[in-house]
Amino acid sequence: MFAATVGLGTGLGLWAFGGDGSTPEADRSAPRPASPASPTKVYPLSQAPRTIPAVRDFTAARGPGWRPAKGERVVVSDDSLADEGKLIAGELGLAYGGRTDDVRTGDVHLTLGGGRKGSPESYTMTVRDGRVTIGGPADAGVFYGTRTLKQEVRGAGSAPEGVVNDAPAKPRRGFMLDIARKPYSAGWIEDRIRELGDLKYNELGLHFSDDQAFRIQSDTHPEIVSPDHLTKAQVKQIVDLAASRHITVVPEIDSPGHLGAVIAAHPGLQLRNAQGVATRGAVDISKPEAAKIVDDLLDEFADVFPGSYWHLGGDEYQALTVRDPAASYPQLAAAARKAYGPGGTVADLATGWLNARAAIVRDHGRTPRAWNDGFYRNTSVRPEEDIEAAYWTGKEIGARQPAAYLAEGRKVLNYNDEFLYYVLGQPQTFVYPTGQRIYEQWTPRVLRGTEAVPARYDSQILGGSFAVWSDLPRAQTEQQVAAGIRMPLRATVQKLWDPGKPPLSWTDFRALAGKLG
């Protein structure tokens, strides 16, 4: 007798047999047992899969694991999972077997059920008895389970025996792209969506209107659209692809600043100071015509972007960056007093503008969002409570610490420009962020600079977004941008999925990213 060890799946099988596979000669005359003993396979305890982001809980088991093989299937228990099933089947080279109760050895079975109660993005993946079962309370969680399986197979060739229980720490995991200053091709954006989906991101922000250009076809105001733009058909394809990856596209038409492209076609809307000097990018919010054109666009593009969220901008309105806004812009001060009484201020008027635009998108069933410097201190008009603060900077005049927003009970999204801003050409004080710095130093609670807000505010921080701004559009090509943001995207989602200390060192994390592609 001798022992032999063979590799099988992700484990090792160990059993005893004679040199030719028969019972040894000396034992042939011995009494035989009533039934022959089957070979006993002993597998080592499985190791947790290595994925990006890392799975949060894994129960190891002994067994061969699972690897894709020709002729095996992906089957679903509910027709609503057909898209997820067809996608992972194609990616792993399996057949799609559709809806069935006949689940066989070798199958990947997608089902509704499992995961964490009340967490639609959670999932459970069980590898046992030569099959894989991925279940979640909603199709989003099941999709994320298929992303884990895809990475397991790509990285190790197989999925380990055992049970993954996984869910994100933060419900919003975003990537924002400035296509106003730099036109990105539809194909490039679609490639990023596929990348984001595999990394379990669930938001794509599109900043498509600014001083430089308006980059999407408009039927209500075609005069403002730049020659190099996306058609609505292209945008629909982008939105549909994103939806298939459970990514919501969040549009941004920034106002009342950053409207240079609109002003170029409607110069009468330009904000001018008391001396008649034009204020760059800003519309005169005392003029009803300014509100009308923005509201026309909000109404029009609500049909183009059917997701749940809308970014209203609200930042860097230049009338509020001067020492005495009322003296510099007397028409705004007069409009504020007319609207809000003798004590009305220009900041009140700007806050009223934000609230009015929020009402438009709210009527379309959207949750509004605005940059933190669009929320002014000491105003008699308060921003509506449901407007989420996208916190990016503390550099503005009268800047408040992030805790000031949180203490008011406001929900906040983290766009910290210290870590998460990739600004083309690195103007002003910006430098390209590194994945290592995000991975080792940033968490969603680090909203401004490098200091974290108190843990008691954690539940109000909904998540965050890595942002590409195209200030100097020729500084990098599309391909260079894709390469430059590759590791920062992976580091950011790791910390949004699990803000704790990552299980891998940066060196190992980077090596894993190279293996997973």
Side-chain angles (χ1 to χ4, degrees):
M1 299 281 287
F2 67 92
T5 304
V6 299
L8 182 62
T10 57
L12 297 175
L14 177 67
W15 65 88
F17 52 90
D20 60 358
S22 62
T23 304
E25 185 71 30
D27 295 334
R28 286 179 180 172
S29 60
R32 296 181 177 275
S35 59
S38 301
T40 301
K41 301 177 183 179
V42 179
Y43 297 92
L45 206 59
S46 60
Q47 299 294 311
R50 287 194 167 187
T51 60
I52 297 175
V55 301
R56 301 185 71 188
D57 182 77
F58 177 72
T59 302
R62 299 181 186 276
W66 178 91
R67 67 175 65 243
K70 186 176 181 179
E72 291 177 350
R73 309 177 302 167
V74 175
V75 296
V76 301
S77 63
D78 192 286
D79 289 334
S80 67
L81 298 174
D83 290 343
E84 288 76 16
K86 291 173 183 177
L87 179 62
I88 190 63
E91 292 168 332
L92 298 183
L94 306 177
Y96 177 64
R99 180 178 178 178
T100 182
D101 295 327
D102 176 27
V103 182
R104 310 169 188 167
T105 300
D107 282 347
V108 174
H109 179 212
L110 309 184
T111 183
L112 294 177
R116 299 181 184 179
K117 186 177 180 180
S119 177
E121 293 187 309
S122 67
Y123 68 93
T124 300
M125 183 171 70
T126 303
V127 179
R128 183 184 299 143
D129 299 329
R131 70 187 65 169
V132 180
T133 301
I134 299 173
D139 52 357
V142 175
F143 172 74
Y144 295 136
T146 68
R147 299 307 88 195
T148 295
L149 180 62
K150 178 182 177 180
Q151 288 194 24
E152 288 175 331
V153 171
R154 178 173 288 181
S158 60
E161 197 88 2
V163 180
V164 170
N165 280 294
D166 204 12
K170 294 298 179 183
R172 312 275 187 85
R173 303 174 302 283
F175 170 61
M176 197 228 72
L177 181 65
D178 169 15
I179 67 172
R181 295 178 177 94
K182 179 182 179 70
Y184 291 82
S185 66
W188 189 90
I189 297 171
E190 289 168 3
D191 285 344
R192 299 290 72 72
I193 289 170
R194 296 182 184 95
E195 179 180 15
L196 296 171
D198 281 354
L199 293 170
K200 304 186 177 88
Y201 278 89
N202 64 2
E203 279 193 8
L204 168 64
L206 287 182
H207 177 93
F208 63 92
S209 170
D210 213 303
D211 294 341
Q212 294 77 2
F214 192 98
R215 295 286 185 192
I216 298 178
Q217 171 191 347
S218 170
D219 300 318
T220 61
H221 289 282
E223 73 280 0
I224 70 173
V225 179
S226 303
D228 193 348
H229 66 269
L230 297 173
T231 67
K232 285 187 176 179
Q234 288 174 313
V235 173
K236 183 179 188 306
Q237 189 166 322
I238 287 168
V239 169
D240 289 348
L241 177 64
S244 75
R245 265 66 175 177
H246 296 273
I247 294 171
T248 298
V249 180
V250 182
E252 181 189 357
I253 298 176
D254 202 345
S255 78
H258 294 279
L259 281 172
V262 172
I263 293 168
H266 297 271
L269 301 181
Q270 176 85 60
L271 176 66
R272 296 181 180 274
N273 67 13
Q275 288 73 45
V277 177
T279 302
R280 176 177 169 81
V283 295
D284 188 333
I285 59 176
S286 69
K287 295 183 175 182
E289 300 88 351
K292 183 180 185 307
I293 192 170
V294 172
D295 291 349
D296 286 346
L297 295 169
L298 295 178
D299 284 331
E300 176 183 1
F301 283 95
D303 292 332
V304 178
F305 297 99
S308 301
Y309 310 108
W310 196 287
H311 203 316
L312 296 167
D315 63 313
E316 298 180 325
Y317 188 52
Q318 297 301 309
L320 288 162
T321 63
V322 298
R323 179 172 297 179
D324 189 344
S328 295
Y329 299 96
Q331 76 276 32
L332 299 184
R337 291 191 296 271
K338 181 178 179 181
Y340 303 113
T345 66
V346 176
D348 287 327
L349 193 67
T351 303
W353 171 281
L354 177 65
N355 286 341
R357 310 292 79 74
I360 294 293
V361 300
R362 192 183 297 114
D363 285 346
H364 289 286
R366 311 297 195 269
T367 297
R369 181 181 308 178
W371 297 113
N372 65 285
D373 52 328
F375 297 80
Y376 303 103
R377 67 165 72 208
N378 302 324
T379 56
S380 61
V381 180
R382 306 299 298 164
E384 295 292 344
E385 292 182 1
D386 68 333
I387 305 175
E388 298 170 350
Y391 198 98
W392 72 281
T393 186
K395 301 182 178 74
E396 76 276 12
I397 294 174
R400 287 177 290 165
Q401 293 289 336
Y405 300 83
L406 296 162
E408 296 172 350
R410 194 166 299 279
K411 294 178 180 178
V412 175
L413 290 151
N414 191 325
Y415 289 75
N416 187 338
D417 65 347
E418 175 80 15
F419 289 92
L420 306 179
Y421 262 36
Y422 191 97
V423 185
L424 298 194
Q426 303 182 107
Q428 303 174 49
T429 59
F430 289 107
V431 295
Y432 292 130
T434 68
Q436 182 172 3
R437 189 161 181 255
I438 297 167
Y439 190 76
E440 295 177 344
Q441 299 179 29
W442 179 80
T443 73
R445 284 173 44 213
V446 179
L447 284 161
R448 172 177 171 175
T450 59
E451 296 296 319
V453 298
R456 66 179 178 273
Y457 294 126
D458 186 67
S459 64
Q460 288 173 240
I461 301 170
L462 301 176
S465 185
F466 188 85
V468 171
W469 292 101
S470 308
D471 290 41
L472 299 174
R474 294 184 177 86
Q476 290 191 339
T477 65
E478 288 184 343
Q479 292 73 26
Q480 288 172 322
V481 173
I485 66 176
R486 184 175 180 278
M487 288 309 300
L489 280 177
R490 284 152 178 77
T492 300
V493 81
Q494 172 60 46
K495 303 303 279 291
L496 289 169
W497 196 266
D498 186 350
K501 183 179 179 180
L504 300 179
S505 68
W506 171 252
T507 299
D508 289 343
F509 183 82
R510 185 173 56 189
L512 176 62
K515 181 182 291 187
L516 297 180

